Amino acid sequence: MNMEQRRDPERILRELQRDEERQKRGHLKIFLGYASGVGKSVKMLDEGRRRRERGEDVVVGAIQPQSTSEIDQRLSGHEIIPTVKVSGKDVIDIEQILRRRPQVVLIDGLAYDNPPGSRHAHRWQEIDELLQASISVITSINLHYIQELQEEVACITGKRPAETVPLEFLKRADDIEIIDAPAEEQQRSRLREMALLVAAEVVESELKSYLAAHHIEENWGIQERILVGITPRSDARTILESGRRNADRFHGELFVTYVRQPEISPQDQTALDKNLEIAREVGATIHVLDGRDPVRALIQFAKRNGVTQIFIGHSQRQGWWHRLRGNPVERLIDLAEGIDVRVFPQRTGS
Amino acid sequence: MSQIHESKRGRLKIFLSYAAGAGKTYRMLEEAQDLRCRGIDIVIGYFEPHGRKDTIAKTDGLEIIPRKKMEYRGSEFEEMDTVAVIARAPAVCLVDEFPHTNVPGSDRAKRWEDVLKILDAGIDVLTTMNLQHLESLNDQIWQITGIRVRETVPDWVIKQADEIVMVDVTPEALINRLKRGVVYAPEKATRALDNFFKEQSLVALRELALRQAAHEVEVRHETPRPTDRLLIHITGEPRTAMLIRRGRRVADYLGAECFAVYISESGDLSGLAVSERDAIQRHLNFARNLRIETRILQGHNSAVALVEFARREQITQIFFMRPKSRRKMFSTSNLISDTLRLGRDIQVTVVADRSAP
């Protein structure tokens, strides 16, 4: 399915500019762990040492306040740019780092807030500035501090950290590496699972941009994406609840589509509204599609969004789909090349 | 009873990654050194040095059980000496390359079978494996890399592991290691860079590995309430293996029971052409190896027989292979649409072909 896309000059120019910016910008690597003590700092310092041995100019910009002998031992031999005190808090000496201009700076503890009056409120913003100045950064973060996961983490741990980093910042990293370690208790297991999934998500966006940059159109279905197609008359609850359960089990995404129908009757509109309400209840993203051929509209949406499974209702009765072009389920199966189709029998109309 | 069994059986820990050179063996040896320092009786049952210096250095001070020499077609091979490992009875044994296929003539066909034997003897095992050897992912791996992985491990074997740890590394670092000759000798490295080590493949495999690791963590701390029971329709069609793998994978994720049936007019495999019979036998065996319960059912009409069986076994979902062509679908769609019509409240899943481009 490799497809070379048409290359328009505008697009090539945009890409070149983006490439240039990317080349100028420092390289960001993040070590992600699900708890403190899994070895993020050690990994970071080890990587710094290896790079120095390969001739890169590496300095340490920040270390964690609680030090262990393992870390102290690894710090020796590194050039350290000491942090400065601002209102009694340790802050990276960003001006000193910019003056010193190393190739790589190690900054432990990505989620760190600076005291008021600092150049940047958050450490991740300081890192951004260093990257813009063509300095590469290696840093580490604990899952707990990812902004978007605050709710879930608080549910598990009962704690809500004050300092957070947006997931978007992690997604922008050139490299992310997860430090995985066994977890004995259930609580830690759940955090561990979340960390692995966050890493997978970051890798997914990396894969997407890689494929886009190389004009490769592939859908390998690495992340399961379930699409439930509903109509006004489908008995949507069963399908939607199953869609939700399956999406959860696969840690996948759930889409719900409805192909807009011309001249919908008031009863159908009411039924449809009810079905869309259920879709919202199960937390699906709803997409209303247009298209004279509903089957084609559904398939096009599915392919564009990397859907791996389509859930659809099927009734014995002849509905509007049938009238259009023969048996719609058969047509759907026929066109759904590369996508599983799960058909739910329905007692009500189509 | 089961508790006694559990306390005697050794614990299995798998270091999982997505490519050679990720550092699985290194990480495993680090843990071994740690255990040794803590006074735990640990031996190496099998270790694959691949000529990697820092990995070899990590074996320092660890007792190695000599490998068993085997002769096959005039050449000498070395395999893990499982008998010797069990006789030595350490607390923990290191076994590299879990999916390895033993040379013909060995007691067991696969190294993972040796490992199960060692676990049965009450010895803990640390082992390494790449995700692409997982049976249920075989088609997807083929899609991503264009390579059919022959050495596979059934998913239920992985489920036996008490712990799975993801050894993560970025594709960039991996490619660099390969280019620097850390992973393979130069000639093999060039070949690897052309195949498995294409950047997009590595990124995709890595995502797959992370998702699998997350799933493995999840199933170990919570068991889903089973809501589904799956039935796979077996035929002699070569794509049936793909159907079985997908069915197995979906069943695993849903925590569902899984069955596979072949419907025959006679009720057995007699009266079929040899090639057809062999193919069906192969598919039934394949399903059984993946711990899917299989049946051969008598019936003149496949849809009727499938639905009857489904009713009896409270099946919620029947898996079919995609019809080969539209025309074929309309002529033989009877099976799928008849099943839908007869099944009333049974769902039907038509599984996509997942094959290399």
Side-chain angles (χ1 to χ4, degrees):
Chain A
M1 272 213 293
N2 285 357
M3 230 160 68
E4 192 73 15
Q5 277 179 13
R6 230 161 57 85
R7 317 283 308 259
D8 69 272
E10 286 277 329
R11 185 175 163 159
I12 293 171
L13 188 66
R14 267 201 315 274
E15 272 163 21
L16 284 176
Q17 282 168 340
R18 229 182 11 234
D19 276 353
E20 215 169 290
E21 270 167 42
R22 215 178 285 143
Q23 273 163 20
K24 274 210 305 246
R25 199 175 151 88
H27 188 276
L28 173 64
K29 178 162 187 173
I30 301 175
F31 287 103
L32 169 71
Y34 68 86
S36 50
V38 290
K40 294 182 294 291
S41 307
V42 167
K43 272 285 248 199
M44 196 187 75
L45 291 168
D46 280 349
E47 169 132 4
R49 177 186 46 83
R50 276 199 304 276
R51 293 209 187 188
R52 222 180 42 222
E53 283 167 5
R54 270 185 248 139
E56 287 178 48
D57 181 19
V58 182
V59 304
V60 174
I63 45 163
Q64 297 284 52
Q66 314 94 326
S67 183
T68 63
S69 62
E70 233 184 338
I71 289 175
D72 286 344
Q73 188 196 326
R74 281 174 168 84
L75 269 175
S76 67
H78 272 301
E79 175 184 338
I80 300 170
I81 297 185
T83 50
V84 288
K85 289 263 187 222
V86 178
S87 329
K89 247 190 136 181
D90 290 310
V91 173
I92 294 174
D93 194 346
I94 188 158
E95 278 165 34
Q96 180 58 29
I97 297 172
L98 288 170
R99 265 198 304 276
R100 167 66 180 74
R101 299 204 65 81
Q103 279 173 291
V104 184
V105 56
L106 310 181
I107 298 175
D108 211 357
L110 170 57
Y112 190 86
D113 284 351
N114 294 330
S118 308
R119 182 179 179 124
H120 296 288
H122 309 287
R123 185 168 282 176
W124 63 266
Q125 293 167 322
E126 289 175 314
I127 290 178
D128 222 20
E129 189 180 339
L130 292 171
L131 293 170
Q132 274 169 32
S134 301
I135 296 171
S136 293
V137 177
I138 305 178
T139 185
S140 72
I141 187 171
N142 184 327
L143 174 84
H144 300 233
Y145 299 111
I146 299 174
Q147 203 163 61
E148 285 78 357
L149 302 177
Q150 290 303 288
E151 285 301 317
E152 284 117 308
V153 169
C155 276
I156 299 169
T157 62
K159 277 180 275 180
R160 190 184 291 267
E163 300 168 331
T164 61
V165 177
L167 181 60
E168 206 36 52
F169 187 78
L170 272 73
K171 284 195 177 170
R172 282 209 307 268
D174 300 274
D175 284 329
I176 188 162
E177 204 172 303
I178 190 163
I179 312 301
D180 190 27
E184 295 297 332
E185 322 132 48
Q186 179 159 357
Q187 209 188 57
R188 283 168 67 94
S189 274
R190 287 174 61 197
L191 295 171
R192 185 181 166 205
E193 183 190 339
M194 278 170 72
L196 285 161
L197 290 171
V198 166
E201 210 170 306
V202 174
V203 172
E204 163 110 8
S205 54
E206 190 187 326
L207 179 62
K208 269 190 192 152
S209 51
Y210 183 93
L211 294 179
H214 291 79
H215 312 282
I216 303 167
E217 272 190 22
E218 294 275 9
N219 176 19
W220 290 319
I222 293 163
Q223 185 183 16
E224 292 286 341
R225 292 195 177 83
I226 295 171
L227 186 160
V228 176
I230 59 171
T231 63
R233 296 190 198 167
S234 56
D235 170 17
R237 184 170 289 280
T238 326
I239 315 180
L240 286 167
E241 281 175 355
S242 176
R244 174 80 273 159
R245 197 169 54 241
N246 279 265
D248 286 348
R249 298 310 312 165
F250 282 105
H251 300 123
E253 265 184 274
L254 177 63
F255 301 105
V256 170
T257 56
Y258 158 65
V259 184
R260 212 191 304 271
Q261 293 175 27
E263 295 152 29
I264 186 167
S265 73
Q267 295 111 291
D268 279 0
Q269 186 62 53
T270 312
L272 176 69
D273 290 343
K274 213 179 111 227
N275 283 344
L276 292 174
E277 184 51 43
I278 303 169
R280 273 186 288 271
E281 252 174 57
V282 300
T285 49
I286 299 167
H287 300 264
V288 179
L289 311 177
D290 286 298
R292 284 176 38 164
D293 179 347
V295 173
R296 245 174 229 291
L298 199 68
I299 294 287
Q300 261 169 16
F301 177 86
K303 296 212 161 146
R304 223 174 24 242
N305 289 281
V307 164
T308 57
Q309 307 179 35
I310 297 176
F311 286 16
I312 200 94
H314 168 65
S315 89
Q316 314 300 334
R317 269 180 43 190
Q318 296 277 308
W320 59 276
W321 260 14
H322 289 237
R323 287 198 297 277
L324 269 170
R325 277 159 227 233
N327 184 331
V329 170
E330 275 173 10
R331 281 191 61 233
L332 187 77
I333 293 169
D334 180 44
L335 293 171
E337 204 182 77
I339 303 173
D340 293 351
V341 178
R342 182 155 156 196
V343 187
F344 289 69
Q346 308 252 278
R347 287 188 194 84
T348 49
S350 74
Chain B
M1 170 73 190
S2 74
Q3 256 187 340
I4 295 167
H5 181 73
E6 269 176 26
S7 66
K8 272 189 71 185
R9 193 182 156 88
R11 283 174 60 85
L12 175 62
K13 180 169 182 174
I14 301 175
F15 292 89
L16 178 79
S17 197
Y18 63 94
K24 296 177 296 294
T25 306
Y26 189 85
R27 182 86 189 264
M28 177 172 75
L29 287 165
E30 264 183 341
E31 178 150 340
Q33 291 292 0
D34 232 43
L35 291 170
R36 189 176 67 101
C37 290
R38 287 180 2 219
I40 290 169
D41 182 19
I42 182 163
V43 303
I44 294 179
Y46 194 94
F47 163 65
E48 197 57 71
H50 288 300
R52 294 173 205 163
K53 274 187 232 114
D54 37 342
T55 311
I56 296 168
K58 275 274 166 205
T59 63
D60 249 17
L62 290 167
E63 176 184 341
I64 299 174
I65 305 289
R67 297 177 186 182
K68 193 176 171 180
K69 290 200 171 28
M70 311 266 307
E71 217 192 82
Y72 179 65
R73 295 199 172 157
S75 302
E76 195 169 85
F77 291 87
E78 291 186 343
E79 298 292 357
M80 172 163 68
D81 193 340
T82 306
V83 174
V85 169
I86 293 171
R88 166 67 179 73
V92 186
C93 177
L94 247 78
V95 183
D96 217 358
E97 301 192 347
F98 194 49
H100 170 80
T101 303
N102 292 332
V103 68
S106 304
D107 289 338
R108 279 159 292 273
K110 300 283 182 179
R111 184 167 294 154
W112 59 262
E113 294 177 291
D114 287 318
V115 167
L116 295 182
K117 199 84 190 156
I118 295 170
L119 292 169
D120 279 342
I123 300 165
D124 292 352
V125 174
L126 305 181
T127 191
T128 60
M129 151 169 185
N130 283 327
L131 167 93
Q132 41 271 37
H133 297 280
L134 192 64
E135 181 64 59
S136 71
L137 284 175
N138 197 263
D139 300 305
Q140 246 176 314
I141 302 294
W142 184 34
Q143 249 184 324
I144 295 168
T145 63
I147 293 167
R148 246 309 172 214
V149 176
R150 300 286 166 196
E151 284 181 337
T152 57
V153 182
D155 298 45
W156 64 264
V157 176
I158 306 305
K159 294 283 177 288
Q160 310 282 305
D162 300 275
E163 269 174 23
I164 291 182
V165 176
M166 169 85 188
V167 180
D168 195 22
V169 62
T170 63
E172 204 192 0
L174 210 53
I175 289 170
N176 282 337
R177 279 181 208 177
L178 204 71
K179 285 184 180 157
R180 289 205 310 269
V182 182
V183 182
Y184 292 131
E187 183 235 357
K188 200 176 171 192
T190 315
R191 217 169 348 123
L193 277 168
D194 292 339
N195 299 315
F196 247 106
F197 283 80
K198 269 190 225 136
E199 192 168 353
Q200 80 241 36
S201 305
L202 288 175
V203 179
L205 291 172
R206 183 179 179 211
E207 188 188 342
L208 209 49
L210 287 163
R211 291 193 183 282
Q212 187 70 33
H215 171 69
E216 298 298 342
V217 170
E218 182 178 38
V219 293
R220 277 165 186 76
H221 69 76
E222 61 179 277
T223 347
R225 189 170 50 87
T227 48
D228 298 75
R229 286 166 74 81
L230 271 47
L231 172 61
I232 300 167
H233 178 232
I234 300 278
T235 63
E237 238 256 46
R239 289 177 303 150
T240 304
M242 206 177 270
L243 176 70
I244 295 169
R245 285 191 202 101
R246 181 64 178 172
R248 178 72 266 180
R249 190 162 176 80
V250 172
D252 276 347
Y253 272 77
L254 300 182
E257 286 287 326
C258 193
F259 298 84
V261 301
Y262 171 72
I263 315 285
S264 115
E265 293 241 6
S266 60
D268 56 33
L269 298 183
S270 63
L272 293 172
V274 178
S275 62
E276 177 78 354
R277 194 176 61 215
D278 287 353
I280 292 161
Q281 202 69 66
R282 206 166 47 242
H283 294 149
L284 289 168
N285 281 337
F286 180 59
R288 275 194 290 272
N289 286 338
L290 302 187
R291 299 240 160 134
I292 295 170
E293 207 174 314
T294 64
R295 304 281 166 79
I296 298 174
L297 300 176
Q298 196 273 324
H300 298 294
N301 180 310
S302 294
V304 171
L306 280 170
V307 168
E308 261 174 26
F309 177 83
R311 284 264 150 67
R312 214 162 50 234
E313 295 290 343
Q314 281 114 43
I315 296 294
T316 56
Q317 209 185 135
I318 306 180
F319 275 66
F320 290 106
M321 183 185 320
R322 234 176 98 80
K324 254 197 180 140
S325 66
R326 180 105 194 262
R327 197 182 51 75
K328 188 113 178 170
M329 185 147 46
F330 281 113
S331 59
T332 56
S333 68
N334 317 345
L335 178 58
I336 294 174
S337 52
D338 286 359
T339 307
L340 271 171
R341 187 167 44 78
L342 294 166
R344 288 205 297 273
D345 49 3
I346 297 169
Q347 296 151 26
V348 164
T349 299
V350 181
V351 170
D353 293 344
R354 290 174 172 79
S355 51

